[in-house]
Amino acid sequence: DDAMLRLWDFSQDNKPVLTLSGHGDAIRSVVSLADGLRVVTGSYDHSVRVWDIQQKSCLMILDHGAPVEVLLVLPGAAGFVASAGGTAIKIWDLISGRMIQETSMHSKTITSLCLAHNCGVSSTNLTQHQQKQQTRLLSAGLDGQVKVYELSTLQCLHGHKMGAPVTSVAMSKDGVRLIIGCSDGTFSVRQRHLPNASSVNPEEKRGPMAGTYRHAMRIASANVDPNFDYTVSSSASSSTKMRKLNRFDKCLKQFRYSDALDQALATKNPESVSVVLEELAKRQGLERALSNRDEHELEPIMSFTLRYITQPKYAPLLIRVCNVLCDIYGPVLGRSTLVDDLFEKLRKHVKGEIQVQSNLLSLLGQIDTVMSVAALHNM
C-alpha cells in the first residue's frame, strides 16, 4: 500500500535487499518474467511498470487507463503480460511496449485472471504450438461473471454467472478443475467432464471399509468424481441459510427501479418503502423510479408521502421525494384532476405541518422566557 516494491532474501536478515519506488499509489500485483531478471508491477495509479532487478531501474511504464487489479504472465518466450483493471483486459508486448489486444466483457471491476491449459481434446501428443492453441484465458469480476477467452484474439468463448461477486479464480494444471472464490465466503469447484470417467472400476467407487485407517483418511486420498461440481461454504456462511429475496429486492438487482418502488408500496410496509427509497437515492435512481407515471401509478407514492411526511423518522427522505415529484410533474399540473388534487392535498398538508412547527417554536420561546424569569427570582 505504500507504493514501494521490495525484494527480500529470506536467508539473510529481515531487511529488503532491494527497494524500488516510482508508483503513485498502492501496488496490487507483482509478477516475475521467465528470465528472472525483470519484474512487472501493477498499481492503482493506472500504470504497469517493468523493472530491471540488476540495474535497479524502471525500464518501461505502460498506461492501463484504470486502477490495475491483477497481472498475469502469458505463455511463450516473447514477454507478453496481461493486465486487468476496471472492466478491461489488456495484453502488452514488453519488447516493443505496445498494447496488442484489448477486451472489455465485464460490467464491473475485474478481480482475477488465470490460465487454463489442455482445453479441448487430450493434449498428451500435441506439439508445443498446438498446446498453446489449447490454452484459454479466464477472468472473473465483481459482476459475478467468469469469462473464458481465446488467448490469441481475446474472443470471449464462454461465460458463467455466479450468485455473488467473484474475488478469485484458479485452474488446476491439468485443466480439469476450476475453483471460484466469491465475496460471500463460498468457493465453488467445477470440473470438466472426462470422456473415460465411466470406465472407473465399481470396486474403487465403493470405498474403504468403515473403521479402518483408510476409511478415516478417505477425504485426503479420495479420487473426486469428475462429473460433479462442488460448492464449499465458509463456517460463517454455512451456519445461516440464504435469505429469500423480496420482490422489490429482485427488481433492484435487475435495475428495474420503477417496479421495485411499486412492489415496495404494495407491501403496505413503511419500513420496506423507506428502504427502497433510500437505496434508489444512493443509486441516483430516484428520479428514474418516479418518472413516466400516469395518475393511477402516481397515486400510491403520493398517498404514502401524505401519510408519513410528518413523521420525523421518514420526513427527511420524503421531503427529498416531494422535491423530485414537484420537479417532474410541476410542468404538467392542470392536465389531470386526480394529480392536481393529490398535489393540492400535499401542499395543504405541508403548510399545516409548517404552521404546527411554527406554533411549537413560539411556545418553546415563551417557555424559555418563563423559565428565565423564574431563575432570576430564585437568585
Side-chain angles (χ1 to χ4, degrees), residues 23-35:
H23 281 293
D25 207 335
I27 297 176
R28 289 290 295 167
S29 183
V30 180
V31 293
S32 177
L33 299 183
D35 55 18

Side-chain angles (χ1 to χ4, degrees), residues 238-252:
S238 61
S239 59
T240 58
K241 294 183 179 180
M242 183 176 294
R243 182 177 63 89
K244 185 177 181 181
L245 293 178
N246 294 311
R247 292 183 178 180
F248 55 80
D249 287 326
K250 295 179 180 178
C251 294
L252 286 173

Side-chain angles (χ1 to χ4, degrees), residues 70-128:
V70 62
L71 299 173
L72 181 66
V73 178
L74 301 182
F80 293 119
V81 170
S83 63
T87 60
I89 301 174
K90 298 182 180 181
I91 295 181
W92 305 91
D93 182 355
L94 299 185
I95 297 178
S96 62
R98 295 185 303 107
M99 181 186 67
I100 58 176
Q101 293 288 348
E102 180 181 7
T103 186
S104 181
M105 300 299 296
H106 288 267
S107 60
K108 292 185 179 181
T109 300
I110 299 171
T111 56
S112 184
L113 294 176
C114 75
L115 292 173
H117 301 286
N118 303 337
C119 297
V121 298
S122 177
S123 57
T124 55
N125 298 321
L126 296 181
T127 64
Q128 184 177 0

